[in-house]
């Protein structure tokens, strides 16, 4: 189950990178529900200038995911263990941090109310140079906040459906400390997290060890099932 929980977080990182095509121009906080084929979780979310923070319970353990496009990294924090893991956006398994090479087709469908917020529903298809693809719908408020998203992504044979929905949205400035790693946290490799959490790495060891370990993650992703190119075609018709 730990492997599936981590793969779900990676899928959400991919969804966050996709939203870089249309970043919200305002800061906000909200209650967020996110769902993949593996699991569904909910918790508070914070957004500021492209930075994102999501808090959730995974198998009874509190986890925090911070996405920093400005640093091209995604951090997963485990407060009880005072540990964190880092993935470079754009590395294998981390989604696409740079979307400049994507062809993006976006078409307005029309107005629709979502959780008491008036939004504009749009159809989107994103195609990368290496054949990776994402297609589906999202619903955007007048402030530019993506209130709801339902997309399917295909990348190197892996397929994932990602759903996101926001409730209780509060527009306003956010504390910069929400998007930083707290002092005293130790760095942990992806492989150790998948194996159950042993063998910490000292924080600040940026020596490329994560790169080799991250390359092993896609093998585990092959058990994802139930979504294919036909699903994308059906969704965006």
């Amino acid at each position: 189950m730990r492997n599936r929980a981590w793969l779900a977080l990676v899928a959400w990182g991919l969804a966050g990178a996709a939203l870089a095509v249309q970043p919200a121009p305002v800061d906000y906080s909200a209650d967020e529900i996110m769902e993949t084929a593996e699991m569904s979780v909910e918790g508070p979310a914070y957004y500021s200038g492209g930075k994102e923070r999501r808090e959730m319970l995974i198998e009874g353990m509190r986890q925090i995911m911070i996405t920093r496009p400005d640093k091209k990294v995604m951090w997963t924090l485990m407060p009880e263990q005072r540990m964190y893991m880092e993935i470079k956006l754009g590395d294998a398994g981390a989604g696409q941090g740079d979307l400049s090479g994507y062809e993006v087709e976006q078409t307005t469908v029309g107005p629709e109310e979502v959780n008491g917020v008036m939004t504009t529903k749009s159809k989107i298809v994103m195609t990368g140079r290496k054949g990776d693809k994402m297609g589906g719908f999202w619903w955007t408020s007048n402030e530019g906040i993506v209130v709801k998203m339902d997309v399917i992504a295909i990348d190197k044979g892996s397929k994932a459906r990602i759903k996101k929905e926001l409730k209780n949205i509060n527009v306003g400035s956010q504390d910069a400390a929400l998007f930083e790693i707290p002092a005293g946290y130790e760095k942990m490799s992806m492989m150790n997290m998948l194996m159950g959490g042993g063998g910490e790495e000292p924080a600040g060891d940026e020596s490329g060890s994560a790169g080799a370990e991250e390359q092993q993650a896609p093998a585990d992703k092959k058990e994802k099932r139930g979504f294919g190119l036909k699903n994308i075609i059906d969704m965006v018709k």
Side-chain angles (χ1 to χ4, degrees):
M1 289 298 294
R2 183 179 295 270
N3 289 26
R4 291 186 178 183
W6 171 245
L7 291 174
L9 292 176
V10 169
W12 294 332
L14 177 62
L19 293 178
V21 171
Q22 188 175 322
V26 296
D27 292 5
Y28 66 88
S29 63
D31 295 324
E32 182 178 71
I33 302 170
M34 297 201 69
E35 181 181 349
T36 70
E38 285 80 15
M39 62 192 303
S40 175
V41 299
E42 58 183 290
Y46 309 86
Y47 179 97
S48 178
K51 305 169 188 175
E52 293 184 345
R53 174 190 176 104
R54 299 179 179 121
E55 302 181 10
M56 62 201 78
L57 286 176
I58 304 291
E59 300 176 13
M61 180 185 301
R62 182 173 174 239
Q63 296 193 21
I64 299 169
M65 188 169 73
I66 299 174
T67 305
R68 292 290 302 267
D70 56 326
K71 294 181 178 290
K72 298 189 183 299
V73 297
M74 182 173 70
W75 297 315
T76 300
L77 281 60
M78 291 150 281
E80 286 81 1
Q81 293 78 18
R82 297 192 67 79
M83 301 173 67
Y84 77 97
M85 192 177 65
E86 176 178 293
I87 296 180
K88 302 292 185 183
L89 292 178
D91 285 353
Q96 299 295 327
D98 180 8
L99 299 178
S100 60
Y102 276 71
E103 292 184 9
V104 180
E105 299 177 26
Q106 185 170 350
T107 306
T108 299
V109 177
E112 188 172 318
E113 184 174 335
V114 178
N115 297 326
V117 177
M118 286 307 303
T119 69
T120 300
K121 180 179 179 180
S122 300
K123 176 180 69 177
I124 185 165
V125 176
M126 298 168 51
T127 306
R129 297 170 181 168
K130 298 181 180 179
D132 44 323
K133 193 167 187 177
M134 177 177 287
F137 297 93
W138 59 37
W139 292 253
T140 309
S141 73
N142 292 334
E143 296 89 353
I145 299 171
V146 178
V147 179
K148 182 178 177 181
M149 177 176 69
D150 189 349
V151 298
I152 294 176
I154 296 179
D155 185 21
K156 298 179 181 177
S158 296
K159 308 171 189 70
R161 184 169 190 168
I162 308 113
K163 298 180 181 180
K164 165 184 153 176
E165 193 168 328
L166 298 181
K167 299 180 179 180
N168 304 318
I169 299 172
N170 290 303
V171 176
S173 60
Q174 305 297 314
D175 187 347
L178 290 169
F179 310 98
E180 302 289 348
I181 300 171
Y185 274 57
E186 292 189 345
K187 189 175 182 181
M188 175 181 176
S189 72
M190 176 185 282
M191 181 55 64
N192 285 332
M193 181 166 182
L194 292 175
M195 294 299 292
E200 304 92 359
E201 290 180 330
D205 179 6
E206 304 294 340
S207 63
S209 60
E213 290 150 352
E214 288 166 10
Q215 296 298 324
Q216 299 184 31
D220 295 329
K221 295 180 89 172
K222 291 181 180 177
E223 66 180 60
K224 282 181 179 283
R225 60 193 182 280
F227 304 106
L229 184 59
K230 182 178 184 299
N231 299 92
I232 290 181
I233 295 172
D234 290 343
M235 286 183 66
V236 301
K237 279 182 179 178

